[in-house]
Amino acid sequence: MIEYVHAGFGHYFITSNSDEVSALDKGAFAGWARTGFQFNADAVAAPQSAPVCRFFSAAFAPKSSHFYTNLQYECDLAKTYPAWTFEGEVFNIPSAAAD
């Protein structure tokens, strides 16, 4: 996962999608730059992992925003809000075992 920041918005964005990385690095979305931080995540589900849902909203104009969650109930709830567009399960992260 590669982290980007938009200094003017004070927003951060993470992705490992090669098309998104390429577009961001080429300046297709003005204002975004790599922070230099990155972390590993699983591309597919693994034992003891949880998918991370990603949502996008332009309802905060002139700023846009992304929301990430690995909690299924939050993912399901966010899907009910018209201001948020579900972009998919974008990566998987380790999760604690259920109690």
Side-chain angles (χ1 to χ4, degrees), residues 53-76:
C53 296
R54 185 174 87 186
F55 295 86
F56 173 77
S57 180
F60 310 101
K63 301 176 182 181
S64 60
S65 190
H66 281 88
F67 169 70
Y68 299 82
T69 183
N70 71 320
L71 302 174
Q72 190 61 52
Y73 77 90
E74 283 185 343
C75 185
D76 293 341

Side-chain angles (χ1 to χ4, degrees), residues 12-83:
Y12 290 84
F13 177 74
I14 55 174
T15 187
S16 64
N17 178 288
S18 60
D19 292 336
E20 290 175 343
V21 169
S22 179
L24 287 160
D25 287 346
K26 290 178 182 176
F29 306 101
W32 291 96
R34 286 188 185 212
T35 64
F37 293 105
Q38 56 189 25
F39 63 91
N40 293 328
D42 294 319
V44 295
Q48 299 296 319
S49 73
V52 174
C53 296
R54 185 174 87 186
F55 295 86
F56 173 77
S57 180
F60 310 101
K63 301 176 182 181
S64 60
S65 190
H66 281 88
F67 169 70
Y68 299 82
T69 183
N70 71 320
L71 302 174
Q72 190 61 52
Y73 77 90
E74 283 185 343
C75 185
D76 293 341
L77 184 61
K79 288 177 182 177
T80 69
Y81 291 103

